[in-house]
Amino acid sequence: MRLRLSEDDAAFREEMREFFTTQVPSEIRESFAQGREHSKDDIVAAQRILNAAGIAVPAWPAEWGGRDWSPLRRHIWLEEMRFANVPPPLSFNASMIGPVIAAFGSQELKERFLPATANLDIWWSQGFSEPDAGSDLASLRTTAVRDGDEYVVNGQKTWTTLGQHGDWIFTLVRTDPQAPKRQMGISLLLVDMTSPGVTVRPIELIDGSFEVNEVWFDQVRVPVENLVGEEGQGWTYAKFLLGNERVGVAPVASIKRALADAKRIAATGGPGGSSLLDDPLVAARIAELENRLLALELTALRVVANSDEGKPHPASSVLKLNGTETQQAVTELLVDLAGPAALALGDGDGAQGLPHWAAHASPRYLNMRKASIYGGSNEIQRTIIAGTILGL
Amino acid sequence: MDFELDSEQTALREAVRDLLNDAYASTEARRAVQADDPGFGEKTWLQLAEMGVLGLPFAEDVGGMEAGPVEVGLVAEELGRVIAPEPFVEAVVLAGGLVDAVGTADQRTALLGGLSDGSTLLGFAHTEPGSRWSPSAESVRAERRGDGWALTGVKTPVVAGARADVLVVSARTDAGTELFLVTGEDADRASFRTTDGGRAATVTFEGTAARVLGEAGVDRTDAIAQAVARAQIAACREAVGAMERALWLTVDYLKTRKQFGVTLSTFQALKFRAADMYVQLELARSTALWATLLLDAGGDALDAASRASVQVAEAARHIGQEAVQLHGGIAMTAEYSAGHYLARLLVLTHALGDRTHHLSRLASNLEGHRWVDPLAYGSATA
């Protein structure tokens, strides 16, 4: 047992810190540091800088740009990136479809898509959830019917995050409605979003943002070579895709920054610049959150430090559940620190007189309620813990 | 960075686990041991001594094993698993730790040698009626008498205080709080049963003869705070062991107990609550392990102890209470162990400072750091 990083890992941490704070333009990082979401241009620019340095997709196979790093190193890489306010590589590309194509795609698909996916020349969207298939994803109804050298796709996807920027969408479709088990009739198709019959409609969210979309497929014709792997194996690939990443499940460094910001704000956020930390209830709440975050970070470190053998660490299931709860708790703290300014939904229109953080506390709080819903809701996570760990 | 035991540590854990599983194979066996003074198994204590466990943290030249916080922590965790009543943390980590830190060479040789081989049980008499985890003595006073000292006042509760051969006692002097050694028999000791079925004593000094521990005239408040912090971290590990068992005991019960014609594990409401217990357990385990490793690396023991205690106390209350609730009525009975885990966890998270105590310590030091970096060497809050 040893707490410190090995000399090599410590040197690696320094190298990453140096890279992210010097090689990624400060405009990109500062914009985020000031509480703005990363723009599409920032995300693309940052990923291309990383890719040029060979560190955009370290978890991929080496032949396609991967680095054979230990889980601990990938954790350090991601945490240092978040710490420096560098937008991480687009997860749809780097963590989702890239590894699936690399593992299951034909050589032709790999050559056609992987370099462009790593460099974010293609912005991928995710076509999984449907209006009637949320947590119960296997009940999806979008169909793909073979017609010569093409599939004809019909149906509707939803919650497609940042789909408004999407060039391509990886889509789970039902190719065999007669399969004995509903999971067996599902395939994974890559669809060009400029194809005739694809319609994207943004959904306005409770914070006023447009982050997710509905995507309709109406007689969309997709060449058969855009099928990933084998027909009928889509469910297996989807499970691989969703369970692929143990690293970065809980965005510790982002939460840490947000909490540090909240504490700094609280120190002068009272009437006339007084400190809200003088209120013992506020101080106790922040101390509690710092400690919860410490426990979360240590659990993430345990998972990455001791999962070299390839099998997932049992504690990894805790990370999604507790990570999102902790992330949400910090947004709750900020909305409470904002006081009456919590009535403002951003600092547009007539609300410019309010501090930026206070005016944005409520939209961020509302927006972050998504975290315990997406990527397998926290009720699904509890089901997984009860089933796979406790055997209930 | 590595959170796993090496092969020697694993062997130690297995040996201690076998010994304790043997000694406390059933709840009934443990209750029988705890029924009378001294409230723990004398034979088990000697077996632990033979294994070297009672001398783990001490230097070889005083009879110890020169092991570190990692070994101490894994032993504590094993004790917690079977809620063994042996006062390892109190005698070895706390009283022994103070003798080691403050005592003269002769005192260390005599007392730590005896502690390690099981012939001398040390107790730490520090808490006073009405005190709340202060590192200093308030009402017990020490005055010079001839070549030695005389103590006056009351200490309670003193864990295993009626059995202790030698008591390490904190008392006020002109220098502040100093530490003294009192032969157990010389004090007036009234034994009582504790919440977790163990034994503690109220120890009354009425001009009782005492020797100063270490050099006289030195305030030992900091030494006490440091030793208590190390003991808190060990107690956190003990609680982790107890919580792990309490969780699995509950899970096994959910799988076997039938109501409405089906096992309780059929009900989602119960499954989710068991899952939440697991989450709390793992978060607490991570923090307690980290605190152990921070001690090992020479970090800030007080800060680490408070951080571990806040997390562990929250988990202990949650898991202990849920273990009882999910079992139902059977857990309210003295003959079933689920309630014993709740009681033991209560004691482990109150003896050396409860959650509020530690949280308020953390809350009063928020502005000393921008954030908490668990990898920072030497301090949790660089």
Side-chain angles (χ1 to χ4, degrees), chain B residues 79-149:
Chain B
L79 290 160
R81 289 170 62 84
V82 294
I83 38 180
E86 282 66 35
F88 172 75
V89 171
E90 293 85 352
V92 175
V93 185
L94 194 43
L98 279 167
V99 169
D100 200 22
V102 172
T104 63
D106 287 349
Q107 288 169 333
R108 290 176 63 244
T109 304
L111 293 171
L112 299 179
L115 175 63
S116 300
D117 68 22
S119 61
T120 306
L121 181 68
L122 300 184
F124 182 43
H126 175 63
T127 304
E128 298 170 2
S131 72
R132 292 182 72 84
W133 308 298
S134 162
S136 50
E138 303 299 334
S139 67
V140 171
R141 305 198 61 88
E143 287 168 350
R144 285 201 181 268
R145 190 171 66 190
D147 290 344
W149 295 76

Side-chain angles (χ1 to χ4, degrees), chain A residues 1-2 4 72 83 256 263 288 290-291 295 297-299 302 306 322 379 382-383 389-391, chain B residues 1-4 248 251 255 272 276 282-283 285-287 290 293 307 355 366 369 371-372 374:
Chain A
M1 281 207 183
R2 181 167 42 82
R4 299 177 78 174
L72 176 59
F83 226 62
K256 196 183 278 190
K263 187 164 76 172
E288 248 176 335
E290 283 190 342
N291 224 52
E297 178 168 12
L298 289 163
T299 305
R302 270 174 67 209
N306 295 102
N322 190 256
E379 287 65 39
R382 286 186 177 88
T383 305
I389 298 175
L390 303 180
Chain B
M1 188 180 18
D2 181 8
F3 290 91
E4 303 291 313
W248 286 104
V251 166
K255 286 178 186 169
F272 276 22
D276 284 335
E282 290 306 320
L283 294 172
R285 188 200 304 278
S286 301
T287 320
W290 165 79
L293 294 176
R307 295 195 177 281
R355 186 170 190 275
L366 276 181
H369 55 274
W371 47 57
V372 182

